[in-house]
Amino acid sequence: MKQEKKSLAQRFAKVAGVALALFMSAQSVSAAEPVKVGFVYVGPTGDAGWTYSHDNARKYVEEQLGDKVKTTYVESVAEGADAERVIRQLAKSGNDLIFTTSFGYMNPTLKVAKQFPKVKFEHASGYKRAKNVGTYFDRIYEGRYLTGVIAGKMTKSNIIGYVGSFPIPEVVRGIDAFTQGLRSVNPKAVVKVVWVSSWYDPAKEREAAETLILQGADIINQHTDSPGPIQAAQAKGVYAFGYHSDMSLYGKDAHLTAATHNWGPVYLEKVKSVMDGSWASTDFWGGLASGATALAPLNSAIPEDVVKLVEERKQAIIDGKLHPFQGPVKDQSGAIKVPAGEVMSDKDLLSLNWYVEGVEGELPK
Amino acid sequence: MDYDLIVNILYATVRTGTPLILVALGELVCEKSGVLNLGQEGMMLMGAVIGFIAALETGNLWLGVTFAMAAGLMMSLLFGFIALNLSANQVATGLALTIFGTGLSAFVGSDYVGTPLVGVEPWHIPLLSDIPFVGRILFSHDPLVYLSFGLFVGVYLFLNRSHAGLALKAVGESPESAKATGLPVFRIRYLAVMFGGAMAGLAGAYLSLAYTPLWAENMTAGRGWIALALVVFASWKAERVLLGAYLFGAFSIMHLVAQGLGFSVSPNLLAIMPYLATIVVLVMLSSDKARVKLYAPVSLGKPFHPVD
């Protein structure tokens, strides 16, 4: 067979054609190809906290779906211009679904979503949605209510210390839910809150916890991100609750349990809905019932009857028979804010800016 | 307030002030030589991460501390090369060093985030720690706190009572005259920069090995910047650096204690109190602006081009 001599231009055209074909095939997702899912994280995956909980869910999705899914993640993405660039990059490189997992990604997500109408986006903890942007969050306050029940049974001094970050509704809701759980089993117990004005400053969080211990607290809860408070509790020989994920590594005697995010089932559901084409922009806010909120393993120091009680309360919340904010809910002055037989609405929960009875001190404005 | 509470506040004050003292003493010596290094935060972070990794991998906390100081020192050499050898703008170089150190420490430590470590334990000094009141406040800390006491005394004596300290100050005031009298300006500045780096590394190690034994990105949380401000407001005097650092610590603790006692002040207002109080007190100490200016090393931040 005689080989045809090709001109340089012809060769170039052929190479370009192959490249184009490859490019096109990479762009189109056929049924046989895995669904591509991207994740944008605000912290490093090993932070034992927020980002760690999201990355665990990514791994869970991979485990469950195997070859049918291909995930990519970008960690430690600052909530600013960087975020938009990263999200756009993930959209450009053919991801079908992108999870943006921090509040500050809200506007960048919406901006990129507008430019990529075929890509689906899920934004954690935000309130702005679009046709291809859904939002999701978990009802961590249900977990906090259960930790309150444990605290109420375990405290001897009847003073619980709470290390808070900033007095915003999400944090206040956690404090109130915890106190509701606490007072439901121990009406004498009170909660002292110290705000550190930071989400992440291990040294300051530790000092705050020690200050609370000094002022009589024998159990510490936290709504900050580092294990600093657990370390303080361990050093001082008192109990503490972790947050975000199991923090028992930092104080195995102190760590009673932790209210944790368990995004795995949520993410699996979302990915599956993209695969079968049923995805729609929704606002998901699930708690214990959906599995999105969970408790870390309980410390063996917790007596069996308390473990049983926690299990019962947990089941009651899952069954919808118990709500952390079911009436009568009283504020600090004793005035009834939610009458008996009623349950606080999601709208009120999302804008909660007052302390329930049992929290000491005034809520800073 | 009861006795125990006061003792504990003062105890926590010493602990909170310690990282600030370490990094600020280093910067003080550096600035006294006429070099302004704004890379404290970056050097601290590198010290924190390298110290943590070394301690974890070798199982030896003191090796960790040594590595942390070496890491800070290496970072300062980088600064020295650019700012002193190449005579680059010191402010820009220092800022770049902070950005670089922040990024590099996050990169180096990414596999170690969240790993637990048994940190440096408190060591109650026999006899001294039994002294009522003072013993608990000053002598029941971890060894790095004692080291900070020693380093303060050392720096104080060096600056105020030694020939070498005099030479350093001469270089900071007028490198030209210092050179004319035969002082090795370049070498003295290099050594001062290196000392600053090692101290920043040590301050980082204090955070990641003693205060909260863990590594987390950006765990210095701005303490390098606070230390820089302290040096200025302390009008370049070692004893005022010490005082300022403890004042800052005291107000940080008071901010937390006050809330626990039920004072309903805005936490944001309380959070800026330490900064405000430190500035006010140190400004009062330095009485007037002209004197602050007077105390600042005359050639601070100016590159020196020796005429050979």
Side-chain angles (χ1 to χ4, degrees), chain A residues 107-124:
Chain A
N107 291 328
T109 303
L110 283 151
K111 204 169 161 193
V112 178
K114 227 175 188 175
Q115 298 158 349
F116 293 88
K118 281 187 184 154
V119 181
K120 317 278 191 271
F121 295 84
E122 286 283 353
H123 176 236

Side-chain angles (χ1 to χ4, degrees), chain A residues 46 195 200 206-207 210 215 250, chain B residues 8 15 113-114 211 216 259-260:
Chain A
W195 302 97
Y200 200 97
R206 182 178 181 151
E207 274 321 332
E210 292 207 359
Q215 293 176 349
Y250 302 96
Chain B
N8 277 296
R15 196 167 54 181
V113 178
Y211 206 155
Q259 293 185 62

Side-chain angles (χ1 to χ4, degrees), chain B residues 22-23 25-37 39-40 43-44 66-85 97 151 155 158 168 185-203:
Chain B
L22 292 171
V23 62
L25 284 177
E27 179 64 13
L28 174 66
V29 168
C30 183
E31 288 189 15
K32 277 284 189 192
S33 80
V35 182
L36 180 67
N37 183 355
Q40 306 303 318
M43 297 192 294
M44 271 178 91
T66 313
F67 268 87
M69 293 180 75
L73 196 138
M74 298 289 282
M75 291 289 284
S76 71
L77 284 178
L78 189 65
F79 174 86
F81 178 72
I82 299 171
L84 300 181
N85 287 70
L97 192 70
L151 283 163
V155 167
F158 169 76
L168 179 91
V185 173
F186 189 73
R187 197 188 310 158
I188 288 176
R189 287 194 161 175
Y190 238 104
L191 287 172
V193 166
M194 285 160 69
F195 179 74
M199 290 291 276
L202 180 61

Side-chain angles (χ1 to χ4, degrees), chain B residues 47-69:
Chain B
V49 72
I50 298 294
F52 184 84
I53 294 173
L56 195 76
E57 297 296 346
T58 64
N60 185 330
L61 290 167
W62 293 104
L63 215 55
V65 172
T66 313
F67 268 87
M69 293 180 75

Side-chain angles (χ1 to χ4, degrees), chain A residues 208-273:
Chain A
E210 292 207 359
T211 302
L212 285 160
I213 295 165
L214 193 63
Q215 293 176 349
D218 64 352
I219 299 180
I220 298 292
N221 201 348
Q222 69 177 95
H223 199 133
T224 45
D225 291 353
S226 94
I230 307 279
Q231 290 180 327
Q234 181 75 17
K236 296 279 172 190
V238 305
Y239 290 125
F241 295 107
Y243 174 44
H244 291 312
S245 67
D246 189 342
M247 290 185 173
S248 53
L249 277 172
Y250 302 96
K252 65 177 175 50
D253 307 314
H255 191 267
L256 284 171
T257 181
T260 64
H261 314 284
N262 180 28
W263 308 110
V266 183
Y267 284 11
L268 185 62
E269 192 88 346
K270 300 280 182 200
V271 174
K272 277 182 171 168
S273 73

Side-chain angles (χ1 to χ4, degrees), chain A residues 32 46 83 90 92 96 127 159 205 218 226 243 280 295 318 331 339 358 364:
Chain A
L90 284 173
K92 242 187 200 166
D96 305 290
Y127 54 84
I159 300 171
E205 291 170 43
D218 64 352
S226 94
Y243 174 44
L295 282 188
I318 290 172
D331 70 6

Side-chain angles (χ1 to χ4, degrees), chain B residues 11 120-126 129 135 138-144 146:
Chain B
Y11 174 81
V120 181
E121 300 279 342
W123 183 55
H124 302 266
I125 298 180
S129 63
L138 292 180
F139 303 111
S140 314
H141 287 279
D142 57 77
L144 289 177
Y146 307 137

